[in-house]
Amino acid sequence: MKFKKKILCIGAGYVGGPTMAMIAYKCPDYRITVVDTNPDRIDSWNSAELPVYEPGLDQIVKKIRGKNLFFRKDVEDQIKENDIIFVSVNTPTKTYGAGADMAADLQFVEKTARQILKYSRSSKIVIEKSTLPVKTALAMERILASGKGKITFEVLSNPEFMAEGTAMSDLENPDRVLIGSRETPSGLKARSELIDIYARWVSSEKIITSNIWSSELSKLVANAFLAQRVSSINSISALCEKTDADISEVAKAVGMDSRVGSKFLKASIGFGGSCFKKDILNLVYLCRYYGLKEVAFYWENVIKINEYQQERFIANILNNMFGTLAGKKICILGFAFKADTGDTRESPAIYIAQKLLAEHAELTISDPKALKNAAVDLAGIKGNIKYIDDPYKAAAGCHALLILTDWDLYKRLDFEKIYRSMVKPAFLFDGRNILDHKKCFKIGFNVYPIGKPALSHFKQ
Ligand code: NAD
Ligand code: UGA
């Protein structure tokens, strides 16, 4: 079959895989190829068990894989073959040298630009899909312009706003698609080529364009604003616990103001995931770099409140369980950083598990999708840990139950059965406020939600 466009994505991760699957699904006359330097990842994309769990992803990939969606290892040949290249490689926080623990590590992006330059035999549009510090496109352009031939490259910024767990519906019905370009004739031409792709399924008013720097910066700012809401509500949850106010009631009352809005106001053990912390650190680093100390300080506190919320959760467990966890069995329900994903990157559960082990607690950990990753995250950490699929078996014989991920299935568990199997007094710490706390209290649990009065059977 002759395809109308040939598109390549470099980086077959949580973003590259799902976004390209959606483009291929919506544009059957385009050929989409995804490459990665990690051969195991490509093998998994070509296998029955995909490397990323996302509701709806399996069905789409299995329908179109081998038709117009391909996962391949031959990065160099694919660069030659394709006209439009998305760069969706990882941009973790730097762990070394200048800006360590704060700046984005751009080595993978730079390597990709150099590879594109080296193997290209025709002009191409190169699209930043990864989340990058503002002005990265300038470095990309400079590298791509350093070749000797007549080939030209147009760099666009098209940040991805999908969230894990809802990636496929976010990609199918995005709030907006943002495309940043140079405002030159060739920049505008490349921009309109990319608009044509999204216009296949996204309405035109949702496809917005901007200058390239605004586009790069908007992505960091969008994540910072979302994380800021979580830290804002979590900071108030601490005050609720001191004053008998209820954080869910406060969030409802505040969120019903249409200027504030009701989303992203769920108090929790704090935000996790691979991006919020890294992208805010990146923003803080940029502000410091440009001498904006006060702005840097403002955003840094979003992360500090997030850490404080996790510390508070641990302190609450320790204080309420009579000041010692040594030898006590604690069941963790949920290890993923949020529901509907197996991803555990920066999951608050990692920190909480480590702290509990440091108190010499014994852990049983259950999660419907994230147990493999949990075992990797906690590998090498001293202590007694069991990974158990069945939440009932995981809870049996435990002193306390912690809800760390908002999986729907936990709301439907038989808590009478769980209570009967636990050591008494049985403690329940709901780090996601997803359970019916009054019901659990009536069953016999001592219940400790986030930002709500505790329900305890102990005499004060
Ligand atoms: P990831 O680590 O899952 O995937 C990145 C992939 O790129 C890896 O498989 C890696 O092997 C590959 N890679 C690195 N260098 C390469 C090279 N030179 N050639 C070929 N492959 C290479 O990361 P991710 O979660 O998909 O995130 C990618 C980017 O998208 C990041 O900048 C992230 O901030 C951003 N982002 C992520 C999400 C999310 O939900 N995970 C959402 C929006 C944006
Ligand atoms: C987030 C953004 O929502 C996406 O728009 C963005 O594209 C993505 O980061 C990225 O750049 O990687 P994601 O991290 O997948 O997506 O998931 P979120 O739904 O944003 O949740 C992040 C964390 O905040 C989770 O740990 C979640 O449990 C927590 N959270 C979220 C709360 O504690 N309370 C809330 O009200 C909302």
Side-chain angles (χ1 to χ4, degrees):
M1 173 171 172
K2 185 145 173 38
F3 291 102
K4 277 197 189 141
K5 278 188 206 289
K6 290 185 286 180
I7 299 173
L8 176 67
C9 177
I10 301 182
Y14 284 88
V15 171
T19 47
M20 292 304 122
M22 185 55 69
I23 294 180
Y25 178 60
K26 295 291 180 183
C27 310
D29 50 342
Y30 295 175
R31 189 191 67 188
I32 317 290
T33 308
V34 189
V35 290
D36 203 292
T37 40
N38 177 347
D40 297 340
R41 254 208 169 158
I42 294 298
D43 286 339
S44 331
W45 279 110
N46 284 319
S47 74
E49 202 184 323
L50 304 184
V52 168
Y53 170 72
E54 275 297 336
L57 176 66
D58 242 49
Q59 293 89 312
I60 288 188
V61 169
K62 286 175 187 164
K63 208 170 179 178
I64 56 177
R65 191 171 56 190
K67 292 193 175 116
N68 72 326
L69 176 66
F70 302 90
F71 296 94
R72 303 184 56 127
K73 299 172 191 170
D74 53 339
V75 182
E76 296 157 14
D77 288 341
Q78 292 308 318
I79 289 174
K80 282 182 200 146
E81 276 274 311
N82 288 278
D83 314 314
I84 298 176
I85 303 181
F86 285 90
V87 176
S88 186
V89 299
N90 37 327
T91 50
T93 304
K94 220 176 151 191
T95 53
Y96 54 88
D101 300 326
M102 191 155 275
D105 188 344
L106 297 176
Q107 61 167 312
F108 306 106
V109 178
E110 172 154 349
K111 275 182 197 150
T112 309
R114 289 183 188 279
Q115 270 179 312
I116 294 173
L117 174 67
K118 186 167 173 195
Y119 297 106
S120 289
R121 300 291 174 266
S122 57
S123 297
K124 298 186 195 300
I125 297 175
V126 177
I127 305 162
E128 297 176 340
K129 192 52 132 170
S130 299
T131 302
L132 298 165
V134 55
K135 291 283 177 186
T136 304
L138 192 60
M140 295 272 272
E141 285 173 346
R142 286 180 177 163
I143 291 169
L144 291 168
S146 65
K148 289 196 188 84
K150 284 193 189 136
I151 298 173
T152 58
F153 297 92
E154 199 57 51
V155 177
L156 300 178
S157 159
N158 172 222
E160 184 48 62
F161 295 105
M162 55 151 248
E164 287 179 33
T166 53
M168 300 320 281
S169 58
D170 293 344
L171 290 166
E172 191 156 26
N173 298 298
D175 284 347
R176 77 306 207 183
V177 167
L178 174 59
I179 301 175
S181 72
R182 289 282 187 180
E183 277 147 338
T184 56
S186 59
L188 296 175
K189 188 164 170 273
R191 179 201 272 188
S192 74
E193 272 227 40
L194 187 52
I195 290 175
D196 284 349
I197 298 176
Y198 286 110
R200 289 289 187 93
W201 78 97
V202 181
S203 59
S204 58
E205 67 276 10
K206 287 192 171 173
I207 304 178
I208 57 171
T209 57
S210 72
N211 84 34
I212 200 159
W213 321 123
S214 310
S215 174
E216 288 179 329
L217 184 57
S218 298
K219 172 63 198 180
L220 290 186
V221 174
N223 273 0
F225 271 52
L226 289 168
Q228 180 202 42
R229 284 176 71 92
V230 177
S231 279
S232 295
I233 204 71
N234 281 342
S235 71
I236 300 303
S237 76
L239 185 57
C240 285
E241 285 167 30
K242 298 279 183 206
T243 57
D244 288 339
D246 179 320
I247 195 65
S248 303
E249 294 174 354
V250 174
K252 186 174 177 189
V254 173
M256 277 179 77
D257 185 325
S258 59
R259 294 168 300 178
V260 176
S262 61
K263 291 183 183 163
F264 257 70
L265 289 181
K266 274 195 228 116
S268 66
I269 39 170
F271 58 76
S274 63
C275 293
F276 277 0
K277 185 175 173 190
K278 126 179 127 57
D279 292 346
I280 295 175
L281 287 172
N282 191 341
L283 188 65
V284 170
Y285 182 76
L286 280 170
C287 294
R288 288 215 184 124
Y289 175 83
Y290 288 107
L292 305 171
K293 270 193 307 199
E294 288 76 4
V295 187
F297 179 74
Y298 176 78
W299 288 107
E300 204 166 16
N301 280 302
V302 171
I303 297 176
K304 289 211 172 122
I305 288 289
N306 201 51
E307 289 163 354
Y308 168 68
Q309 190 72 350
Q310 294 171 28
E311 286 158 16
R312 259 172 25 78
F313 188 69
I314 292 288
N316 211 13
I317 296 172
L318 195 55
N319 291 341
N320 286 299
M321 292 182 73
F322 320 121
T324 175
L325 300 178
K328 288 182 181 164
K329 290 192 174 140
I330 297 191
C331 170
I332 289 182
L333 291 185
F335 208 84
F337 81 97
K338 63 184 282 197
D340 293 322
T341 177
D343 195 353
T344 59
R345 291 179 292 177
E346 295 292 337
S347 178
I350 301 174
Y351 170 85
I352 291 167
Q354 285 174 344
K355 288 287 171 189
L356 296 173
L357 290 168
E359 292 292 342
H360 296 184
E362 296 175 16
L363 304 185
T364 55
I365 302 178
S366 188
D367 188 291
K369 293 285 174 199
L371 280 194
K372 262 194 210 158
N373 281 336
V376 174
D377 295 330
L378 299 178
I381 291 171
K382 241 177 88 191
N384 193 335
I385 315 172
K386 290 195 181 86
Y387 301 94
I388 302 179
D389 278 320
D390 182 340
Y392 294 103
K393 287 190 183 143
C398 286
H399 296 74
L401 204 59
L402 317 185
I403 307 289
L404 299 192
T405 309
D406 46 344
W407 285 103
D408 251 355
L409 76 95
Y410 296 150
K411 297 180 200 163
R412 297 191 296 269
L413 292 175
D414 178 347
F415 281 94
E416 297 210 17
K417 180 175 161 182
I418 290 179
Y419 179 74
R420 281 198 302 273
S421 75
M422 287 178 65
V423 175
K424 311 296 179 312
F427 294 84
L428 174 55
F429 296 89
D430 184 357
R432 296 289 182 165
N433 284 347
I434 55 170
L435 303 184
D436 182 338
H437 299 138
K438 284 194 183 129
K439 194 171 152 195
C440 292
F441 174 67
K442 272 194 201 140
I443 289 171
F445 284 102
N446 296 296
V447 185
Y448 302 89
I450 300 270
K452 293 167 187 266
L455 300 170
S456 141
H457 295 283
F458 301 120
K459 290 212 173 83
Q460 295 307 316

